Amino acid sequence: MSPIDRIRSYADELTALRRDLHAHPELGFEEVRTSGIVAAQLERFGIEVHRGLGKTGVVGLLQGRPGPRRIGLRADMDALPITEETNLPYRSTAPGKMHACGHDGHTTMLLGAARYLAETRDFAGTAVFVFQPAEEGLGGARAMIADGLFRKFPVDEIYAIHNAPHGPHGVLQLRPGPIMAAADFFDIRITGRGAHAAMPHQGIDPIVVATALAQAMQSIVSRNSNPLKSAVVSITQIHAGAAYNVIPEGAHLAGTVRTFDADLRRLIASRIRELAAGFAAAYGATIEVDLRDVFSVLDNHPEQAAAAAEIATELFGPENVVADTMPHMGSEDFADMVAAVPGAYAWLGATPGPGLHNACFDFDDSLIPLGAAYLARMVERRAAA
């Protein structure tokens, strides 16, 4: 029986588990219930369990036949601070929290792979199952690594998979080299001088400064960066004021920078600070810039990406594998894991529907046996490499 067919034989159980996780979402570093369920499932499969790595992370160890190789598989567990707008019977029961990125599905796929490997034991060496907290911008991968993930549980390679709601269904996409962008988050706090709205000459209007700075920042990519290198500067928040007739004391801009090139990343950061300093001087305001490295570039290792494509071709057929897909400007902190050990990251196409981080998103449960089989086969093949 193929791994896909075997996992399909208990797909109903996995689907019920996934939907339970969906109904009870937990934000980053708060995945107490989720990690408890993961640990209990792994123990039920006879897998050695270690809890508390990176606060709420879980690691499972499974020994196959004697062999020196150790293959890691990783899934993320956290939800997003989004209010769900579906009418699903298993919709979120936690106000303002939702599995809008499919991490409930990724966790379930890895549990499905763990069960398959525990039942078959048709591999040499050790499978290391990494259930990571806080992928959504809170640094869960870095927290697990800082807690000794690869020191306590060394691996030769590590792999991860993410659902792709834009489809095509069942098509696995990956590429060697950079596949997802680095991300910096920024907060820019502008302090002016408050005044009556009817007497603006008595104040320093931080809203005027904020809007002028926001417009100028859009010129960084168009006029300072090499047009052959991809970059995004997005201002996603503007906060200021609370009354119709008051010029406020301060304003706040926030957003994100996405890049693949380290020099360009530094250039954009420098230009943001230079523009802020210039506008502060021009308007007589004070501007503080807090720019934070949140995600590194996710750089697939060529050997591991080629192996992943080969294994996916075996499982899904050559017509369902794209081994040279375009990079995404989104970010993913699995980047820190493949910066530490060789590995590869792939997307698995779902039935097209609402996109990631959308209040109407739902994970496509038909992907569970496919993703689980892919992860399991990575262990079977790469442990023998």
Side-chain angles (χ1 to χ4, degrees):
M1 184 182 294
S2 74
I4 295 175
D5 289 338
R6 184 178 180 118
I7 295 168
R8 279 180 174 149
S9 71
Y10 49 85
D12 287 348
E13 293 177 51
L14 294 173
T15 296
L17 173 62
R18 199 286 295 181
R19 294 180 177 185
D20 176 74
L21 295 175
H22 187 92
H24 301 90
E26 296 172 302
L27 301 180
F29 296 124
E30 299 175 4
E31 306 96 336
V32 175
R33 180 183 187 274
T34 303
S35 62
I37 289 172
V38 166
Q41 290 288 321
L42 293 175
E43 288 170 349
R44 184 169 73 88
F45 305 152
I47 294 172
E48 179 184 328
V49 175
H50 300 264
R51 301 184 61 173
L53 208 72
K55 192 172 181 179
T56 47
V58 178
V59 176
L61 300 178
L62 178 66
Q63 186 66 48
R65 298 187 304 275
R69 298 268 291 166
R70 298 168 65 90
I71 305 301
L73 304 174
R74 172 272 199 177
D76 37 20
M77 301 187 293
D78 57 321
L80 283 155
I82 294 175
T83 298
E84 184 164 352
E85 294 180 4
T86 74
N87 290 314
L88 297 167
Y90 49 86
R91 62 186 174 273
S92 172
T93 59
K97 301 176 186 179
M98 177 192 175
H99 272 295
C101 200
H103 296 186
D104 49 344
H106 304 159
T107 294
T108 304
M109 287 193 292
L110 186 49
L111 286 172
R115 174 173 171 176
Y116 170 87
L117 290 168
E119 289 177 352
T120 58
R121 305 276 179 141
D122 190 18
F123 67 96
T126 306
V128 181
F129 308 104
V130 179
F131 293 85
Q132 181 206 307
E135 188 279 328
E136 296 288 356
L138 296 177
R142 293 178 184 179
M144 292 192 83
I145 293 168
D147 259 2
L149 173 63
F150 296 128
R151 176 171 49 81
K152 297 174 182 176
F153 311 103
V155 296
D156 295 289
E157 301 175 352
I158 192 163
Y159 296 89
I161 192 169
H162 199 294
N163 77 99
H166 53 275
H169 181 271
V171 174
L172 187 124
Q173 303 172 52
L174 77 167
R175 71 188 305 273
I179 189 169
M180 297 193 78
D184 298 294
F185 290 176
F186 60 80
D187 288 276
I188 300 174
R189 292 179 174 83
I190 301 161
T191 303
R193 185 168 63 244
H196 195 295
M199 292 171 274
H201 61 290
Q202 296 179 353
I204 297 174
D205 192 338
I207 295 177
V208 172
V209 181
T211 55
L213 177 57
Q215 290 287 344
M217 286 172 60
Q218 297 308 306
S219 72
I220 296 174
V221 172
S222 67
R223 290 297 176 266
N224 297 131
S225 68
N226 185 331
L228 299 179
K229 293 182 178 181
S230 299
V232 172
V233 176
S234 290
I235 295 168
T236 57
Q237 300 178 53
I238 299 180
H239 305 283
Y244 290 100
N245 58 351
V246 177
I247 293 173
E249 187 80 13
H252 175 204
L253 301 175
T256 183
V257 177
R258 308 289 170 129
T259 54
F260 285 99
D261 182 88
D263 290 337
L264 180 55
R265 189 179 194 180
R266 286 189 289 269
L267 169 68
I268 292 174
S270 176
R271 288 298 295 140
I272 289 173
R273 293 190 173 94
E274 289 167 358
L275 286 170
F279 277 96
Y283 285 93
T286 299
I287 303 180
E288 297 177 357
V289 177
D290 177 19
L291 188 63
R292 304 178 300 282
D293 171 352
V294 178
F295 295 98
S296 304
V297 175
L298 201 171
D299 203 346
N300 276 346
H301 293 250
E303 178 186 339
Q304 284 67 37
E310 181 180 345
I311 289 164
T313 299
E314 172 201 328
L315 283 172
F316 308 138
E319 71 280 7
N320 290 315
V321 177
V322 179
D324 59 352
T325 193
M326 291 290 290
H328 286 205
M329 292 305 292
S331 301
E332 156 70 74
D333 74 356
F334 185 63
D336 293 295
M337 294 192 181
V338 293
V341 296
Y345 179 90
W347 295 292
L348 183 59
T351 301
L356 302 175
H357 296 209
N358 185 298
C360 294
F361 172 85
D362 185 34
F363 182 84
D364 182 348
D365 288 320
S366 69
L367 297 185
I368 295 173
L370 303 181
Y374 166 81
L375 292 170
R377 193 62 106 195
M378 295 305 302
V379 171
E380 291 178 337
R381 293 287 186 264
R382 296 305 294 170

